Amino acid sequence: MITSWIVRATAAAALAATANPAPLPGSGAPGAPGSDMAPIACDSCEEWNRPQVPFRLFGNSSYVGVKGLSAVLIQTPAGSILIDGGLPQSAALIADNFHALGRRLKDVKWILISHAHYDHVGGVAALARMSGARVAASPRAAIALRRGMVEEDDPQAGFGERMRFPPVANVVELRDGASVRLGGAAVTIHHTPGHTPGGATWTWRSCEGRRCLDLVYADSLNPVSAPGFRFSATAARVRQFESSISTVRGLKCDMLVAAHPTFTNLFEKQAARQKEKPRKPSAAGAETDPLIDPEACRRYADESSSKLDQRLREELAADASTPSQPPK
């Protein structure tokens, strides 16, 4: 279920369905075969897509992604919510992780998106097809999802056809601050554009007994791009990126999972947790679980801000070193 005022069924999707009745990959009936699991090749894809044993984060929330690409499962009595889908070749590994946790892929009712790059949404078409789940994203990410291609103003659009991924025809668009609600869980979207035009960060609360924590699935806030792209080309883009970083910095955040788990040393923290067997906080309030860190979002934002500042300095230096054209 999703509150009616946060759903916008787009005319573009309806028109596409009318004009082209043949199902696109990921838009057919649940379980229907398709080409949406054909592997994508990239320099990092093999390393990213190594299997990762799933593990509980807190309460009803678990990590089900692969080694280099995050995916989080939120379980409720009414079904499950999945955040992100990795590469097309990640879909089978994510499904295996579901089964390892004793869950069924067909129980997934919603798939939520961080940003529309092939390494995070490449597996969404297949996962949506196999589960019958609805897909939700920010309005800008929804455009890219339907196209199966990044938008022209995406910082990595200059890589061209290498940025394609299996399209998803039907996408629910969520305005900033909207929530997807299922079985008592409420997962809220925070628009965080910068890395892409449609980036999104997601927040929710998860409980174990009487103790509840605020969990954050943070989008990439990394100012990387195709050659020739300049974040400093427009002041508005820089302000938008800085605003997204500030948004993440200000979130209620007891536990953080980033779109790439290495950004926050997630697996190192999980290994420490297994070794230390954390207990409940002591009477003095000391936290013993390495995964629980109320300062994690602030540090992630500070690191992202430093990366953006460095990128802007590099662009400024490149501008200064480029000879100006003599007057004609």
Side-chain angles (χ1 to χ4, degrees):
M1 174 183 178
I2 186 167
T3 311
S4 61
W5 51 266
I6 63 175
V7 178
R8 182 154 61 94
T10 65
L15 180 60
T18 303
N20 184 11
L24 293 167
S27 63
S35 60
D36 47 24
M37 295 176 72
I40 287 177
C42 71
D43 291 343
S44 300
C45 284
E46 184 175 353
E47 180 180 356
W48 281 339
N49 201 50
R50 286 184 292 151
Q52 167 63 41
V53 175
F55 57 91
R56 181 187 61 83
L57 294 167
F58 189 83
N60 63 347
S61 304
S62 301
Y63 185 92
V64 293
V66 291
K67 203 71 174 179
L69 303 168
S70 295
V72 166
L73 175 68
I74 304 167
Q75 302 173 37
T76 84
S80 299
I81 298 170
L82 176 66
I83 305 178
D84 274 353
L87 295 156
Q89 58 264 41
S90 304
L93 297 174
I94 292 173
D96 288 344
N97 284 345
F98 271 60
H99 298 148
L101 293 173
R103 311 303 296 182
R104 301 179 301 174
L105 190 59
K106 69 178 183 179
D107 290 333
V108 177
K109 306 303 181 185
W110 286 96
I111 301 176
L112 313 180
I113 302 307
S114 61
H115 67 269
H117 280 170
Y118 64 80
D119 51 334
H120 302 283
V121 301
V124 169
L127 291 165
R129 169 177 56 79
M130 292 187 290
S131 65
R134 303 176 74 184
V135 176
S138 73
R140 291 297 303 275
I143 294 171
L145 280 165
R146 296 186 192 106
R147 297 176 63 209
M149 182 62 173
V150 298
E151 292 191 81
E152 292 181 359
D153 60 343
D154 188 293
Q156 297 187 46
F159 288 125
E161 292 298 306
R162 286 181 286 174
M163 299 303 293
R164 287 201 175 276
F165 51 83
V168 181
N170 300 311
V171 185
V172 175
E173 298 182 9
L174 301 182
R175 68 174 183 84
D176 189 29
S179 295
V180 171
R181 300 181 183 275
L182 181 72
V187 186
T188 301
I189 188 172
H190 306 266
H191 291 183
T192 47
H195 182 71
T196 70
T201 291
W202 300 87
T203 61
W204 68 100
R205 282 177 67 77
S206 184
C207 299
E208 290 185 1
R210 294 183 178 181
R211 189 185 188 195
C212 296
L213 298 181
D214 291 297
L215 274 65
V216 176
Y217 188 97
D219 189 27
S220 295
L221 295 173
N222 201 8
V224 296
S225 71
F229 182 89
R230 296 172 65 254
F231 286 92
S232 57
T234 63
R237 183 183 286 272
V238 174
R239 288 195 299 269
Q240 184 184 63
F241 211 143
E242 291 173 338
S243 177
S244 295
I245 293 171
S246 294
T247 293
V248 172
R249 181 182 288 111
L251 293 173
K252 292 182 179 179
C253 178
D254 296 309
M255 185 178 291
L256 170 66
V257 177
H260 287 273
T262 54
F263 287 174
T264 58
N265 299 317
L266 182 67
F267 301 138
E268 290 81 357
K269 294 176 182 178
Q270 167 62 7
R273 170 198 262 182
Q274 291 179 313
K275 182 178 179 180
E276 296 174 11
K277 296 181 180 179
R279 306 174 302 279
K280 291 182 179 180
S282 66
E287 182 56 63
T288 64
D289 187 338
L291 282 173
I292 300 175
D293 180 4
E295 295 297 311
C297 282
R298 180 192 58 77
R299 278 199 304 274
Y300 183 63
D302 289 346
E303 291 167 3
S304 300
S305 183
S306 296
K307 291 177 182 177
L308 179 59
D309 288 345
Q310 177 62 28
R311 174 61 187 256
L312 296 176
R313 285 195 297 269
E314 291 171 356
E315 291 181 3
L316 182 61
D319 291 344
S321 64
T322 301
S324 59
Q325 295 295 323
K328 295 182 178 179

